[in-house]
Amino acid sequence: MKKSKIIALIFASLGITLSLTAIIVYIITNSNNNVLNYQYVGIPSDHYVVVSDGKKYGYLTEDGKEVTTLKYDIIDSMRLDDNTLNLDNFKFVDGLAQYTDGIYYGLLDEEGNEVIDANYSSIEVINKNLIIVSDNKFYFINKDNEKLFDQEFEMLTSIEGLDSIFIVSNEGRQALINNKGENLTEYKYDSIYELSDTSSNNYVFCAMYGDYTDIYLYNNETLSFTKLDNFNNYTPTIFNNNNIYFTSPTGFYSIYNINTNNIITLNNSYIAIGPFIDSLALAINSNNLIGYINEKEETIIDFQYDYNNASNFTKYGLAVAGKDNLVGVINTDNEQVLDFNYLNVNVINSNRFLVLDQDNKKYIIDSKGNRITENDYANIELTDYPNVFIVSKVSNNRTLYGIINSNGEEIIPIEYEDIKISDDYFVLKRKDNEFYLEKR
C-alpha cells in the first residue's frame, strides 16, 4: 500500500499548560491516491493509534505507518449505545495490544505480529510478563502464553495505577493477592473495594464480611500492609491527603491519619463530609444543607447552601455553592465571588469559570462576571488540561469541533467531525473524513 504524507508545521500557543507546539499533520492515501476513510479514531497511546472504518480496525504508528491493516473484528463491547465505536481501550501497553478474531481476544506486538492467539474471552496487559486472561476461569499468563502461578480464579480484578495488588474471588469469597500470586489475605470476604489517595502512593482496601469491615493500608513504596482493627461497623467513604474518612451506622464520622495514627471522632452527625482541603471540609447536615467545618469541627461557614451542585474548596480558595436551585461561587471568607445565577459552574482558576446559564448556554466568564467566550457554542467540554477546552457548533445538522483556551482564543478551528486529546497528541478527523494526527 502506497502512503503519502503532508507535513505541516503549525505553531500555536496553548496557554498555561500547553505551551508553544509544533504540530505534524498526516494525510494517509492508498495506491489510487484516495483518502482512507477512517470513520473512527482512538486516543493515541504509546506512539500508536487504533483506527476503524466501522467494520474492521487496525493500528497505525504516530507517523502514519501502518502496523496492521483494517482486519480485526468489531465486537459488541466496542459499540456504544448509539452504535458508534469506542476504540480508546485498544492500546499498546508495554509493547503489546489487543486484537480480536470473532468474539475472542489475542495480543500483537509493535510490529503487528500476533504473539498470542485470539483464544480468550478477555485479556488485559498489566505488563509483558503479567497478563490477565479468561476463558472459563481467570488467570495470569506471560508474553509467551505460559500460565503463571498455577492458580485460577472466578474473578480477577486489577487496580488502576497499581500493578502489584489484585482482588480475586473463589467459591464466592474474595481475597487480595500480589503480582507473584501470593495470598495477602484469607478468602473470607463478601466484597473488597479500593480507595486511592491521589496525593500519595497509598491505597486503602476495604474488605467486608457481614457487618464488619477490615481495612488494609497499602504503601506502593514499601509493598507492606497494615490492618486496622478498631473500626468494626464503620464504613470507609473517602481516602484523601493520607486521611481515611469512616462513617458509623449512627452517622458519626471518624478520621484516621495513616502517618500519625491519630483518630479524630466528630461529635455531630452528618449525612456526608468531604475531605479536608486546607483545613476546610464540606459537610451536609440532617436538614440537607451544606456548610463548611474545620478539623476541630468548628463551623466556619454556616449551613445555608443547597444540597445540589456544591463542591469542596479548590486550591484557589473557591467553592461552588447553591441557593434556590441556582449556583454561584464563594471564597473561604464566605464572600460571594460569582452571583447565584447559574445552573452549573466549574472553577477553572481564580479568575476563570465555565458556567451554564439559565438559558442552557455554556461560556467562560471571569470573576467579575464578564463573558470571555463571545461565541455561542453548542457545548464547551472540560479536558484534563486546565487551559484547554473542546468546543462544538452545529452547522447544517452537523456537529463540528475545535479547541479554545481559557481566554476564548481559538487554538484549533471549529471544522472537525471529531477531536480527541491524549497525553501526547491531538487526534482530529476532518469534515471530509481525512484522518489527521497532530503531534504536540
Side-chain angles (χ1 to χ4, degrees):
M1 179 175 289
K2 179 182 176 182
K3 304 180 184 69
S4 65
K5 294 189 294 185
I6 296 177
I7 301 180
L9 295 182
I10 302 171
F11 293 92
S13 172
L14 295 187
I16 296 172
T17 302
L18 299 182
S19 57
L20 200 66
T21 63
I23 300 179
I24 303 174
V25 181
Y26 297 92
I27 303 175
I28 304 175
T29 62
N30 62 18
S31 57
N32 296 319
N33 276 340
N34 295 320
V35 175
L36 294 178
N37 184 356
Y38 292 126
Q39 187 176 358
Y40 299 98
V41 180
I43 293 179
S45 174
D46 198 20
H47 308 293
Y48 295 89
V49 61
V50 59
V51 293
S52 174
D53 61 0
K55 298 177 181 178
K56 299 282 187 176
Y57 73 93
Y59 291 89
L60 305 178
T61 64
E62 64 178 34
D63 59 358
K65 180 181 178 182
E66 186 178 83
V67 179
T68 72
T69 60
L70 302 182
K71 65 178 182 178
Y72 295 115
D73 293 327
I74 303 298
I75 58 177
D76 288 343
S77 62
M78 299 168 67
R79 294 196 180 276
L80 302 175
D81 291 341
D82 60 359
N83 207 36
T84 59
L85 297 185
N86 177 18
L87 304 177
D88 296 342
N89 292 327
F90 285 71
K91 57 187 179 182
F92 279 87
V93 177
D94 202 12
L96 298 172
Q98 300 176 29
Y99 75 89
T100 55
D101 182 4
I103 61 173
Y104 295 101
Y105 294 87
L107 290 177
L108 53 85
D109 63 18
E110 293 169 310
E111 285 73 45
N113 302 309
E114 295 173 3
V115 294
I116 292 182
D117 292 339
N119 292 325
Y120 297 104
S121 55
S122 70
I123 195 163
E124 178 184 358
V125 179
I126 307 302
N127 57 59
K128 62 185 177 183
N129 291 312
L130 194 67
I131 301 162
I132 299 174
V133 296
S134 68
D135 37 41
N136 292 324
K137 293 279 190 175
F138 289 82
Y139 51 92
F140 292 103
I141 62 171
N142 60 20
K143 62 181 176 56
D144 298 318
N145 205 17
E146 297 169 334
K147 189 173 181 179
L148 304 177
F149 315 136
D150 196 30
Q151 291 190 76
E152 294 184 345
F153 309 96
E154 294 171 356
M155 185 60 67
L156 174 53
T157 303
S158 64
I159 308 300
E160 184 176 359
L162 188 62
D163 62 2
S164 50
I165 304 296
F166 301 88
I167 302 171
V168 295
S169 175
N170 266 330
E171 297 182 358
R173 315 306 293 173
Q174 294 192 359
L176 295 172
I177 66 170
N178 64 16
N179 55 9
K180 299 177 182 178
E182 299 167 337
N183 289 350
L184 300 173
T185 70
E186 300 176 59
Y187 278 91
K188 69 174 185 178
Y189 297 107
D190 301 321
S191 65
I192 300 176
Y193 63 95
E194 161 266 335
L195 299 172
S196 62
D197 181 1
T198 56
S199 65
S200 70
N201 289 322
N202 294 317
Y203 292 78
V204 167
F205 290 91
C206 312
M208 307 180 70
Y209 60 105
D211 295 329
Y212 296 91
T213 303
D214 285 342
I215 306 300
Y216 294 89
L217 301 180
Y218 176 69
N219 184 295
N220 199 28
E221 295 178 354
T222 62
L223 302 180
S224 63
F225 274 83
T226 302
K227 182 179 176 181
L228 304 181
D229 294 313
N230 53 343
F231 288 101
N232 287 340
N233 295 312
Y234 279 67
T235 302
T237 58
I238 301 171
F239 184 32
N240 183 267
N241 294 328
N242 294 310
N243 289 314
I244 308 172
Y245 295 76
F246 296 87
T247 180
S248 74
T250 55
F252 288 91
Y253 276 84
S254 289
I255 304 167
Y256 174 83
N257 186 285
I258 66 172
N259 293 325
T260 64
N261 293 320
N262 289 335
I263 298 172
I264 300 172
T265 300
L266 303 184
N267 296 315
N268 294 309
S269 176
Y270 300 104
I271 293 175
I273 62 171
F276 285 96
I277 300 174
D278 292 333
S279 300
L280 281 181
L282 175 150
I284 305 173
N285 69 11
S286 58
N287 294 320
N288 281 332
L289 292 176
I290 286 175
Y292 295 84
I293 63 174
N294 64 15
E295 291 172 334
K296 297 180 180 179
E297 207 177 351
E298 297 168 335
T299 300
I300 304 303
I301 296 177
D302 289 337
F303 289 83
Q304 58 186 293
Y305 296 111
D306 292 345
Y307 177 83
N308 294 325
N309 296 319
S311 73
N312 278 291
F313 280 96
T314 68
K315 63 182 180 181
Y316 306 107
L318 302 173
V320 177
K323 283 187 175 181
D324 300 323
N325 295 316
L326 295 174
V327 297
V329 174
I330 60 173
N331 62 22
T332 54
D333 293 323
N334 200 27
E335 296 170 336
Q336 192 169 303
V337 177
L338 284 187
D339 292 339
F340 295 92
N341 288 332
Y342 304 100
L343 298 177
N344 193 50
V345 176
N346 294 101
V347 177
I348 299 170
N349 57 46
S350 59
N351 194 39
R352 290 291 186 272
F353 307 89
L354 175 60
V355 300
L356 176 66
D357 70 14
Q358 296 179 55
D359 294 323
N360 281 305
K361 292 183 178 179
K362 277 188 176 182
Y363 43 89
I364 296 173
I365 62 174
D366 64 18
S367 57
K368 295 181 179 179
N370 299 316
R371 186 163 170 171
I372 303 300
T373 51
E374 297 180 0
N375 290 320
D376 285 333
Y377 296 111
N379 191 30
I380 302 179
E381 179 185 341
L382 295 168
T383 71
D384 291 336
Y385 301 96
N387 198 43
V388 177
F389 305 85
I390 296 175
V391 294
S392 63
K393 286 186 175 182
V394 178
S395 176
N396 296 323
N397 294 319
R398 297 174 64 208
T399 301
L400 300 178
Y401 299 88
I403 293 177
I404 63 170
N405 64 19
S406 59
N407 291 324
E409 298 165 339
E410 189 176 273
I411 304 303
I412 301 293
I414 304 172
E415 57 186 40
Y416 294 94
E417 294 177 352
D418 191 19
I419 289 183
K420 296 181 180 181
I421 299 178
S422 74
D423 290 340
D424 299 309
Y425 312 94
F426 294 125
V427 180
L428 312 179
K429 185 176 65 179
R430 261 207 187 279
K431 57 188 176 185
D432 55 6
N433 284 326
E434 293 176 355
F435 166 67
Y436 284 74
L437 179 63
E438 298 198 0
K439 181 179 179 180
R440 296 208 317 263

